Amino acid sequence: MNLTKREFVQVLGAGTMAGLGMGAYADADAATASNGLYDIGRFGTVSFLHMTDCHAQLKPIYFREPNVNLGIGSMKGNLPHLVGEHLLKTANVRPGTAQAYALSCLDFEKAARRYGKVGGFAHLATLVKRLKASRPGALLLDGGDTWQGSATSLWTNGQDMVDACKLLGVDVMTGHWEFTYGMERVKEIIEKDFAGKVDFVAQNVKTNDFGDPVFKPYVMREINGVPCAIIGQAFPYTPIANPRYMVADWAFGIQEENMQTTVDEARGKGAQVVVLLSHNGMDVDLKMASRVSGIDAILGGHTHDGMPVASIVSNRGGKTIVTNAGSNSKFLGVLDFEIKDNKVSDFRYKLLPVFANMLPADKDMDALISKVRAPYEAKLAEKLAITEGTLYRRGNFNGTGDQLLLDALMQVQGADIGFSPGFRWGTSLLPGQAITREWLMDMTATTYSYATLTEMTGATIKTVLEDVCDNLFNPDPYYQQGGDMVRVGGMQYSCNPLAAMGQRIDDMRLNGKLIEADKKYKVAGWAPVAEEAKSAGHKLVWDVAEQWLQATGGKVSQRHLNTPKLKGVLPNPGFLG
């Protein structure tokens, strides 16, 4: 893609979240506010709508954005590694507005009570229909992590989300957590439920035996007479980040060379627009955009970054737009292209927050959601306790929701130390809200959520922390696996993200005493990727957490976050204390 001198203006201006600031609509009714935020004029002839990482959240939720999303090296001070006022300044968004609430964690509790819940497929459906009506031929692209993340998705084997996505009008998708239902289930959905309706694409998934493609690498769709290619990129590290046995016959990877070949093939078949629907994570997408030519835009996912501004990356063939549309059905990205001389000449990009109280619920989608939830409604609504503090997950090193899980795992299982995976999915609760079974499942619902208790030496504990830290802070994005640092309970430590691999973790202490390399400690955890865990008789993590919640007497006090002492990396625009 070759852009004009207007490129700079596009990035700073047209790439912001909405055409009109919500401040002017602060006191307006919902319908008026909705018109101000969501009525964006059509531009060009080709349009894509982009959602990603909804993690099976069919109903509106609260979701607190991170206060820590560190960028190191060349990534410091650049998107997506900006939080709070640093991100708002880049996006030209005023603090205190609805957009600021959607994008940042600033004044979260106050803003949440003012602006309400976000997301929900019934409200998202209304927005999708509105935008498709104003953009004939527009395609809805789903970046994956759609079938996992809630109780009903787990209990229905992903069927609730499959049905919802078909009704929503998803045209093309790729995947990651979808694969944790196993190869047979994934193929069943694609071959039966999606046949003739939704294309599942992934150029980087091959069979282990002969290297044959498992899925279509891309699809060609014509939009208003313009041939467009949508290439898929599934999460490259699925067999490492998730249980290998669930995708035993398939090989993954970034496969940059094959990506270039796929792009060239699509161009050779006449594609005037080439879009990559990616689940790489944004840092990986930015690097790929600099090395693979011929891609007009990368619509990314995995790292849950709600990006209000499109990044433009130069490469040997021109320029590539890189965006990411957040998580939890909280945002919908809108990318419009103008085509001249059989190629992209200009674009407009908007990231629209989905405010449940500004978008009426679509009746058909609302009815479907009610139907799929009906058999489980009483179980989902069961109150386990009341939280006295905000519960959330996002942040590089810990969140109060994970702290609750750590406290439960350690106390119930009699552990010295606790580990909780650095997942970025999960929802938030405000002070005074009930901790329901639904919220507990929002934080833990996987197909391998076994609670574990393991004896580990101090040396092994350090190795675990170093490995995960390198996945997060390796200076080469191609060695990053997304997610956040493993959450640690009971043990204090320091972390220098800028240090070399194997040297980032230091000063590990338990009750003030240094961890001894040869001494064994009881470590609680959950979500083991080893195959033997599924037959080891472990309790499920939500059962352990429920036992702990029942012992609280109905109230859970504000959780005290256990986070490492950071060295060498502060101050940083990706950090708010």
Side-chain angles (χ1 to χ4, degrees), residues 17 143 317 448 472 537 542 549:
M17 288 185 66
Y448 56 100
L472 183 61
W542 47 79
L549 287 167

Side-chain angles (χ1 to χ4, degrees), residues 272-390:
Q272 296 178 21
V273 178
V274 175
V275 168
L276 174 59
L277 180 60
S278 168
H279 206 90
N280 278 331
M282 190 163 175
D283 287 332
V284 179
D285 284 337
L286 290 168
K287 179 175 179 177
M288 179 171 280
S290 73
R291 294 168 62 87
V292 176
S293 61
I295 301 173
D296 292 303
I298 300 178
L299 303 179
H302 182 59
T303 41
H304 295 199
D305 302 305
M307 291 293 95
V309 177
S311 297
I312 299 178
V313 180
S314 298
N315 52 58
R316 66 181 181 277
K319 299 179 186 298
T320 297
I321 300 163
V322 179
T323 73
N324 195 299
S327 66
N328 289 279
S329 68
K330 181 180 177 180
F331 295 105
L332 184 68
V334 184
L335 182 59
D336 296 327
F337 284 121
E338 186 174 67
I339 311 299
K340 289 184 179 179
D341 300 324
N342 299 325
K343 62 184 179 182
V344 172
S345 62
D346 207 348
F347 79 100
R348 298 288 187 273
Y349 168 66
K350 308 286 186 184
L351 183 71
L352 299 178
V354 179
F355 293 115
N357 61 359
M358 295 183 192
L359 290 163
D362 177 77
K363 292 182 180 179
D364 292 338
M365 185 64 77
D366 201 38
L368 175 63
I369 294 170
S370 296
K371 179 181 177 181
V372 299
R373 287 174 59 92
Y376 314 105
E377 201 66 65
K379 191 174 181 180
L380 293 169
E382 186 177 349
K383 295 181 180 180
L384 305 176
I386 300 293
T387 179
E388 294 182 341
T390 298

Side-chain angles (χ1 to χ4, degrees), residues 412-426:
V412 171
Q413 299 187 115
D416 304 308
I417 297 167
F419 286 164
S420 186
F423 298 143
R424 292 190 173 187
W425 45 267

Side-chain angles (χ1 to χ4, degrees), residues 67 69 77-93 95 103-104 106 308-309 571-577:
N67 65 309
N69 187 6
N78 294 315
L79 295 172
H81 300 286
L82 300 174
V83 298
E85 64 267 17
H86 303 291
L87 178 58
L88 298 186
K89 183 177 180 181
T90 296
N92 194 26
V93 169
L103 282 173
S104 77
L106 295 178
V309 177
N572 191 296
F575 180 89
L576 293 177

Side-chain angles (χ1 to χ4, degrees), residues 72-75 287 470 472-480 497-501 504:
I72 62 170
S74 63
M75 293 169 274
K287 179 175 179 177
D470 190 64
L472 183 61
F473 295 118
N474 192 297
D476 184 344
Y478 277 10
Y479 290 94
Q480 297 174 8
L498 301 180
M501 182 178 180
R504 294 186 179 96

Side-chain angles (χ1 to χ4, degrees), residues 54-201:
C54 76
H55 284 285
Q57 294 303 319
L58 288 174
K59 300 287 285 184
I61 58 161
Y62 292 113
F63 185 80
R64 181 187 185 272
E65 295 293 337
N67 65 309
V68 183
N69 187 6
L70 294 173
I72 62 170
S74 63
M75 293 169 274
K76 180 181 179 180
N78 294 315
L79 295 172
H81 300 286
L82 300 174
V83 298
E85 64 267 17
H86 303 291
L87 178 58
L88 298 186
K89 183 177 180 181
T90 296
N92 194 26
V93 169
R94 289 193 298 109
T97 61
Q99 294 107 313
Y101 163 55
L103 282 173
S104 77
C105 64
L106 295 178
D107 298 318
F108 172 71
E109 293 172 14
K110 179 180 178 181
R113 297 190 190 283
R114 179 180 184 186
Y115 296 113
K117 292 184 177 181
V118 294
F121 260 50
H123 306 277
L124 177 62
T126 296
L127 182 57
V128 168
K129 285 182 177 179
R130 180 183 295 191
L131 291 168
K132 281 195 170 185
S134 67
R135 289 162 168 75
L139 297 180
L140 175 58
L141 309 184
D142 178 359
D145 279 6
T146 304
W147 308 345
Q148 173 276 335
S150 72
T152 55
S153 64
L154 181 65
W155 296 337
T156 65
N157 213 16
Q159 194 64 45
D160 64 334
M161 297 309 302
V162 171
D163 293 342
C165 285
K166 288 195 299 181
L167 183 59
L168 186 65
V170 170
D171 294 290
V172 186
M173 77 171 292
T174 193
H176 168 206
W177 274 93
E178 286 72 16
F179 303 124
T180 61
Y181 287 104
M183 296 177 291
E184 291 185 5
R185 177 59 174 153
V186 171
K187 296 292 280 187
E188 178 188 31
I189 290 170
I190 294 170
E191 293 170 1
K192 294 181 180 180
D193 295 272
F194 281 2
K197 300 180 179 69
V198 182
D199 285 306
F200 193 102
V201 292

